[in-house]
Structure formats: structure tokens, C-alpha cells
């Protein structure tokens, strides 16, 4: 996997230029490579590297100064040596064919951003919870049916994307992510949401659309910083009156459910600028909310 054989001339020139100038950044992602350029091992000063490889050799783990790493190329596995890159603050593995992530992920304790969307992941390692510096975690468009309880250890997390998976439940420990501002759980198979979600008091956006929810917990009314709430296209038959406490809410999406009435308390949501609701429910709204709903649709 290592060597300069078959390397395009443009790649060789770019590496040589990086060596001459002692540049900290090298982007080779525009050219699919079958082998790892041997000269990369000389670039021990590199901080940022982008590669498009069909397979990742163990030698890549020698670049221990790296802080940003992007790996593409429809990868199906990762070498253990990547666990040596403990200076990484950003790891982008999106758009590959990975079905699992090794336990060594938990050794990358400096990580602040982790991009794993658009893979074929069916599970996540428990060691994910060791990434306590993580602020952004992107896991959308995979095949996950669950996430480990250890996710609750990621108390620095501000954005968590789990949309377009096959999740049937989320752990109570999710409520420990009290720094979380954006939570994307849309387009899954969720039938319920734990009460602990009400502990996410920093949350400003909550996406739960296109699941199989039959009810939502009253604790959602504690999310007083919430500005956007997406509940459309579920199986909801009723809503808790506590939603009327979400007075910072500017967007509320309820269409595509099985609702027969709307709580009068929603009239308290005077900050709404976008309100989507099935037309047959408009007549049953409190008058002040009905006037605004008509204007906002």
C-alpha cells in the first residue's frame, strides 16, 4: 500500500512542494489513489491531510502531528494505527462504506469534530463516550439501530446528527448532554422519546420528524430555549399542554400526524413565524392562534 509507483505526476509535485515549503496542509483528495505516497512519511510536520484512498495502510498512523484528517475513497475498514493520532481535533470519514468503527476511536481524546455520515454503520463502539472534548458529532445516513449509553459522557457536545438511520430507541443518558443545542433524530423508527430529553435545556433545535412516535413526553415543555421543533409525519394523537411553555419557539411543524385537537396552551407561542398543521385542525385552534396559523401557512 505504500510507495510512489503508479502515483500521478500532479500528486508527486504537490508532495514535493509541501516538502520544500514545509507546509502544514496537504490536500490530495481530488485524486483517487491506490497506494500511500511513500514521501508522506517525511512530512512529520503535517497538521492537516486530506486523502482519497481505496485502503488505509498502517503507516498513516506515524503522522502523529496531524490535527485534521479527511479520508475518503469508499473505505470499508480502518487500521488500528489511526488510534495513534491522538493530536487529532477533527476526523472526517464521511462518505465511505464503513460498517463499524474500531474501539481505538476512544483513544482520540482531543477530538472536537467527528464526521461519520453517509457510511453503512450498524453499530458504534462504547469507547465513543471517551471523546469528552467532542463538540460536533455527525452520524446521519447510516444503518444504526441504537446508540451506546456512553454517548451521555459527551458533555461538551453542542450538535448531534442522527437523522436517516434505523433507530428504534435512544438511551436515557442522552439527557446528560446539557450543552447540546442541535439534536437531529428525524427519519428513523423511533416509537418514543425518553423523559430525559427535557433536561437538554440549552437545546434550540429538535428534529423528530418522520418517525413512529405515538406520543411525546410532557418534559419537552422544559426546553425553554427551543426555537425549532419538528414533529411532523409521526403517529401522534395528542400533544402535552406543556408545549405552551416553549415561548421562544419560532418554528413548529405538526403536519402529517393523527391529531384530533391542539392544546389551548399553544396560544402562548407568540413568537411563532412558521407553523405547519393539517388543515382539518385549523378550525379547532384557539382564535388567536388560528388567525396566525392561517397567515403563516
Amino acid at each position: 500500500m505504500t510507495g510512489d509507483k503508479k502515483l500521478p505526476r500532479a500528486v508527486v509535485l504537490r508532495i514535493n512542494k509541501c516538502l520544500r515549503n514545509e507546509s502544514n496542509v496537504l490536500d490530495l483528495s481530488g485524486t483517487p489513489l491506490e497506494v500511500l505516497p511513500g514521501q508522506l512519511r517525511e512530512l512529520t510536520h503535517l497538521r492537516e491531510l486530506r486523502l482519497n484512498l481505496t485502503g488505509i495502510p498502517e503507516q498513516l498512523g506515524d503522522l502523529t502531528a496531524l490535527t485534521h484528517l479527511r479520508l475518503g475513497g469508499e473505505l470499508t475498514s480502518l487500521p488500528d494505527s489511526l488510534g495513534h493520532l491522538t493530536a487529532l481535533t477533527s476526523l472526517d470519514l464521511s462518505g465511505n462504506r464503513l460498517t463499524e468503527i474500531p474501539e481505538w476511536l476512544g483513544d482520540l481524546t482531543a477530538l472536537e469534530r467527528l464526521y461519520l455520515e453517509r457510511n453503512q454503520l450498524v453499530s458504534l463502539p462504547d469507547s465513543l463516550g471517551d471523546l469528552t472534548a467532542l463538540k460536533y458529532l455527525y452520524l446521519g445516513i447510516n444503518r444504526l439501530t441504537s446508540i451506546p449509553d456512553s454517548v451521555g459522557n459527551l458533555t461538551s457536545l453542542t450538535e448531534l446528527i442522527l437523522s436517516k438511520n434505523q433507530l428504534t430507541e435512544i438511551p436515557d443518558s442522552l439527557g446528560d448532554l446539557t450543552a447540546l443545542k442541535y439534536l437531529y433524530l428525524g427519519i428513523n423508527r423511533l416509537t418514543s422519546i425518553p423523559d430525559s430529553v427535557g433536561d437538554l435545556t440549552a437545546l434550540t433545535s429538535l428534529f423528530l420528524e418522520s418517525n413512529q412516535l405515538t406520543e411525546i413526553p410532557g418534559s419537552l415543555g422544559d426546553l425553554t430555549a427551543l426555537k425549532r421543533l419538528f414533529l411532523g409525519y409521526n403517529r401522534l394523537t395528542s400533544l402535552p399542554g406543556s408545549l405552551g411553555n416553549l415561548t421562544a419557539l419560532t418554528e413548529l411543524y405538526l403536519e402529517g400526524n393523527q391529531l384530533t385537537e391542539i392544546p389551548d396552551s399553544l396560544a402562548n407561542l407568540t413568537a411563532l413565524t412558521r407553523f405547519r398543521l393539517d388543515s382539518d385542525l385549523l378550525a379547532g385552534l384557539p382564535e388567536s392562534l388560528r388567525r396566525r396559523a392561517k397567515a403563516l401557512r
Side-chain angles (χ1 to χ4, degrees):
M1 289 295 300
T2 305
D4 291 337
K5 186 178 180 180
K6 299 181 181 179
L7 285 180
R9 176 174 172 78
V11 170
V12 175
L13 291 175
R14 188 168 295 182
I15 294 174
N16 287 338
K17 182 178 180 181
C18 187
L19 279 167
R20 289 195 308 271
N21 298 340
E22 295 187 352
S23 174
N24 291 330
V25 179
L26 178 60
D27 187 352
L28 300 177
S29 60
T31 306
L33 300 174
E34 295 181 3
V35 295
L36 183 72
Q39 286 178 296
L40 278 185
R41 284 176 292 177
E42 301 177 41
L43 302 176
T44 55
H45 59 283
L46 270 187
R47 296 293 187 271
E48 186 170 335
L49 176 62
R50 299 185 181 90
L51 289 173
N52 189 344
L53 280 171
T54 55
I56 303 298
E58 293 284 347
Q59 291 87 343
L60 191 59
D62 296 336
L63 302 179
T64 54
L66 285 176
T67 59
H68 294 70
L69 178 61
R70 160 64 182 158
L71 296 174
E74 299 188 345
L75 300 170
T76 58
S77 63
L78 302 168
D80 290 343
S81 63
L82 290 190
H84 301 160
L85 304 180
T86 54
L88 283 179
T89 60
S90 177
L91 176 59
D92 187 348
L93 298 169
S94 59
N96 285 290
R97 295 183 179 179
L98 300 171
T99 58
E100 62 179 2
I101 301 296
E103 287 287 342
W104 56 249
L105 178 69
D107 296 332
L108 307 182
T109 53
L111 272 185
E112 297 180 359
R113 295 174 178 265
L114 178 57
Y115 303 85
L116 293 170
E117 68 266 34
R118 291 180 288 110
N119 276 283
Q120 299 173 17
L121 296 175
V122 296
S123 64
L124 297 169
D126 286 336
S127 62
L128 176 68
D130 295 333
L131 306 181
T132 53
L134 207 60
K135 296 180 181 179
Y136 304 93
L137 177 55
Y138 302 95
L139 291 162
I141 316 179
N142 277 287
R143 300 175 181 177
L144 298 170
T145 58
S146 64
I147 52 177
D149 287 342
S150 62
V151 73
N153 298 333
L154 307 180
T155 53
S156 298
L157 210 60
T158 61
E159 186 166 348
L160 175 57
I161 297 182
L162 284 159
S163 304
K164 297 186 179 180
N165 277 281
Q166 300 173 22
L167 296 173
T168 58
E169 61 180 3
I170 53 176
D172 287 340
S173 62
L174 198 72
D176 295 331
L177 306 182
T178 53
L180 203 61
K181 293 183 178 181
Y182 305 94
L183 177 56
Y184 296 77
L185 290 166
I187 315 178
N188 277 286
R189 299 176 181 176
L190 298 172
T191 58
S192 64
I193 299 296
D195 288 341
S196 62
V197 170
D199 296 330
L200 305 178
T201 53
L203 210 61
T204 62
S205 296
L206 177 57
F207 292 74
L208 293 167
E209 77 283 1
S210 299
N211 278 284
Q212 300 173 21
L213 299 173
T214 57
E215 62 179 3
I216 56 172
S219 62
L220 257 61
D222 297 331
L223 305 179
T224 53
L226 203 62
K227 294 183 178 180
R228 298 192 294 169
L229 177 57
F230 289 69
L231 293 171
Y233 302 100
N234 279 283
R235 300 176 181 176
L236 299 173
T237 58
S238 63
L239 298 170
S242 61
L243 290 188
N245 298 333
L246 305 180
T247 54
L249 210 61
T250 60
E251 298 182 40
L252 177 59
Y253 298 82
L254 297 172
E255 74 276 27
N257 281 286
Q258 300 170 21
L259 298 169
T260 57
E261 61 180 2
I262 300 296
D264 290 348
S265 62
L266 293 196
N268 299 332
L269 307 182
T270 56
L272 280 181
T273 58
R274 291 182 181 272
F275 182 29
R276 292 185 181 174
L277 184 69
D278 292 335
S279 57
D280 59 350
L281 288 170
L282 287 175
L285 290 178
E287 183 178 354
S288 61
L289 190 59
R290 184 170 65 249
R291 289 198 304 265
R292 296 173 61 247
K294 287 182 178 179
L296 297 172
R297 282 178 62 82

